Amino acid sequence: MLNGKNILIGITGGIAAYKICELIRMFKRANANVRVVCTPNALNFVTKLTLQNLSQNEVGIEEFDLNEFKPEHISYADEADIMVIAPATANTIGKIANGICDNLLTSIACAFKKPVIAAPAMNCGMWENKFVQENIQKLKNAGYTILEPESGYLACGYEGKGRLCKLETIFDKTVEILNSKKNLAGKKFVITCGGTIEEIDSVRYISNYSSGKMGIALADAAYEQGAEVILVSTVNVERAYKVEMVKSANEMQIAVEKELNNADCIIMAAAVADYRAKNIADHKLKKTESNEFTLELVKNPDILKGLCEKRTSDKPVVVGFCAESEDLIKNAKEKILKKGCDYLIANDISRKDIGFSSDFNEVTILDKNGGIKPLQRAAKTEIAKEILKEIYG
Ligand code: PMT
């Protein structure tokens, strides 16, 4: 299952360290080459000799080995296909999240450019700690896969969330990541997300309820499958790939069109305002005696349509979304013709359990040749993978 794969296990100083002996055996039984690196504190819970025997490799602990020519942390990082940090203590998570490299394990993590899985285990109070959670979020934003701890009886005597997740969970996730196809490697995706922000004056704007979740899910899925990704976003999000922040439809259009000739695929998941204020006041507009206020609006550019008109070949593949509250498929069929895109993803935004702001969606994929494929309600993360599969197989 893991023939020829190089797995680097990082063990930190928590009681669950003893469980990792069995994890090493599981990886070895699956034919992986396993190397282990420990923080000095991990050796309070498990011996170097045990780890060395199980992994059949030297165990790394000290950062500076005077017998080695190449810096050790770089050679560990170069050699491994994946790094699995388990158990990951609050201390090590905090160091990695903040770029601190004060031992071999944290130095390797800092230099590591391939997938990292971290399986935290700690006392439940520590897990709930605000700073620990902020650090976990930083790791997630940087592309780490976090396998959350489970609830139950903890070695410190407390009951709560903090136990290392099951070894099978760590094993299965490692296999999934190592065997996942990077079938979008070499492709460049530009994906938009969020509702555009059209200013009225210095304090007010027109926008909509788009959270950006659908576009972010698509960007994450494309990135996981090896694509280079630019997310053109109106919502603030930190990711390992490039995020270009924009506000208005005009700004979004400039950011997207800049990539028209370089991109392989452009996906417009953003909810773009059709109109903007004709004049934007540079101060706060004052209330007047009148009971009425008229705001003059002008049409925004249709970014999606413009992309389709301006491309000079069948590259990039252009994908639009279609947000409708009635006659979804009828309107989507008309819209794909009007916009001229290759695919249109239709979703019903009148439903509360999908669409705007929800973690879920239910969509119908239309293509320019008349094909129609409905996808059942599922998490946006799953819908995103299905959409990419439909486009790239
Ligand atoms: O962000 P979430 O909370 O996750 O919600 C996701 C979503 C509901 C916003 C998303 O799934 C979605 O439907 N996005 C498209 C919303 C929209 O603007 O739909 P539309 O039918 O009005 O526009 C059709 C297409 O033209 C869209 O791809 C849109 O990005 C694009 N468009 C629209 C107007 C405009 N001036 N320029 C455009 O490019």
Side-chain angles (χ1 to χ4, degrees):
M1 216 186 295
L2 292 172
N3 240 346
K5 302 287 185 198
N6 294 303
I7 299 174
L8 177 62
I9 301 187
I11 307 178
T12 73
I15 179 66
Y18 79 90
K19 298 183 181 174
I20 306 308
C21 297
E22 181 54 29
L23 184 66
I24 297 170
R25 284 162 57 99
M26 290 163 79
F27 284 139
K28 290 295 289 180
R29 277 198 294 266
N31 277 341
N33 178 35
V34 178
R35 282 188 87 179
V36 177
V37 56
C38 288
T39 61
N41 278 336
L43 294 184
N44 291 323
F45 298 94
V46 63
T47 74
K48 185 176 176 184
L49 192 62
T50 309
L51 299 171
Q52 236 154 235
N53 272 289
L54 292 173
S55 67
Q56 292 158 12
N57 263 319
E58 179 111 10
V59 170
I61 299 153
E62 300 299 337
E63 186 156 13
F64 303 106
D65 182 343
L66 297 179
N67 298 318
E68 283 280 341
F69 165 68
K70 208 174 171 195
E72 275 222 272
H73 59 285
I74 304 299
S75 63
Y76 274 97
D78 284 350
E79 190 184 282
D81 299 307
I82 192 166
M83 184 172 186
V84 179
I85 305 174
T89 56
N91 182 44
T92 293
I93 289 167
K95 286 178 187 173
I96 296 173
N98 290 287
I100 296 169
C101 311
D102 64 346
N103 59 42
L104 181 59
L105 190 153
T106 50
S107 300
I108 294 170
C110 190
F112 206 72
K113 290 202 166 72
K114 284 163 272 183
V116 184
I117 294 176
M122 61 195 75
N123 160 270
C124 49
M126 292 170 85
W127 174 251
E128 285 160 13
N129 179 278
K130 177 176 177 292
F131 301 115
V132 172
Q133 284 305 314
E134 282 174 8
N135 289 331
I136 289 281
Q137 193 55 47
K138 277 193 188 179
L139 296 189
K140 283 185 183 170
N141 293 344
Y144 278 47
T145 300
I146 303 292
L147 299 177
E148 295 223 348
E150 294 181 353
S151 296
Y153 179 76
L154 305 178
C156 54
Y158 281 80
E159 287 258 351
K161 190 169 176 178
R163 287 163 62 118
L164 183 74
C165 67
K166 291 189 184 61
L167 296 183
E168 288 73 18
T169 308
I170 305 176
F171 181 84
D172 290 349
K173 192 42 115 180
T174 308
V175 172
E176 184 193 315
I177 292 175
L178 286 175
N179 291 339
S180 72
K181 282 201 226 106
K182 297 282 181 210
N183 53 335
L184 297 179
K187 301 227 178 292
K188 184 169 186 177
F189 274 68
V190 177
I191 298 170
T192 66
C193 76
T196 60
I197 295 161
E198 311 296 341
E199 289 181 356
I200 297 169
D201 65 11
S202 58
V203 293
R204 304 176 181 96
Y205 59 84
I206 303 168
S207 193
N208 57 65
Y209 291 114
S210 170
S211 62
K213 286 177 186 172
M214 190 66 245
I216 294 168
L218 282 158
D220 286 351
Y223 182 72
E224 271 163 30
Q225 289 173 43
E228 179 190 347
V229 174
I230 301 178
L231 181 68
V232 178
S233 176
T234 63
V235 291
N236 205 350
V237 55
E238 278 179 50
R239 281 296 188 272
Y241 49 80
K242 185 176 172 190
V243 179
E244 189 164 340
M245 292 295 298
V246 294
K247 277 172 124 181
S248 63
N250 275 329
E251 285 178 22
M252 185 172 277
Q253 184 180 37
I254 292 168
V256 174
E257 286 192 357
K258 201 169 65 192
E259 301 296 336
L260 181 63
N261 295 324
N262 312 320
D264 294 284
C265 182
I266 301 182
I267 307 181
M268 290 290 303
V272 184
D274 288 320
Y275 295 92
R276 67 176 186 277
K278 186 172 182 186
N279 300 303
I280 303 170
D282 58 6
H283 56 278
K284 183 183 170 207
L285 291 171
K286 297 294 278 179
K287 189 159 72 181
T288 63
E289 291 306 311
S290 169
N291 281 337
E292 289 181 10
F293 179 84
T294 304
L295 181 66
E296 234 183 313
L297 299 176
V298 289
K299 223 176 199 165
N300 259 334
D302 188 324
I303 307 172
L304 178 64
K305 194 161 181 260
L307 290 169
C308 300
E309 285 166 358
K310 287 172 194 163
R311 65 179 163 172
T312 50
S313 67
D314 52 4
K315 190 180 149 221
V317 174
V318 179
V319 183
F321 268 73
C322 174
E324 298 289 342
S325 49
E326 52 205 344
D327 295 330
L328 181 65
I329 302 303
K330 179 176 167 283
N331 286 325
K333 280 181 179 168
E334 286 169 16
K335 206 172 269 184
I336 192 169
L337 292 176
K338 209 161 80 187
K339 303 263 188 182
C341 52
D342 302 299
Y343 295 89
L344 193 73
I345 318 298
N347 48 193
D348 182 344
I349 46 149
S350 66
R351 281 172 55 181
K352 290 278 165 281
D353 63 332
I354 58 165
F356 276 120
S357 296
S358 170
D359 286 332
F360 295 84
N361 213 350
E362 183 178 306
V363 304
T364 302
I365 305 176
L366 285 80
D367 67 47
K368 63 179 178 193
N369 301 319
I372 293 191
K373 182 173 180 178
L375 296 182
Q376 281 187 348
R377 181 179 181 273
K380 281 180 176 166
T381 47
E382 293 308 311
I383 295 282
K385 287 182 203 159
E386 287 300 318
I387 292 171
L388 295 182
K389 202 152 101 190
E390 190 60 24
I391 302 169
Y392 283 101

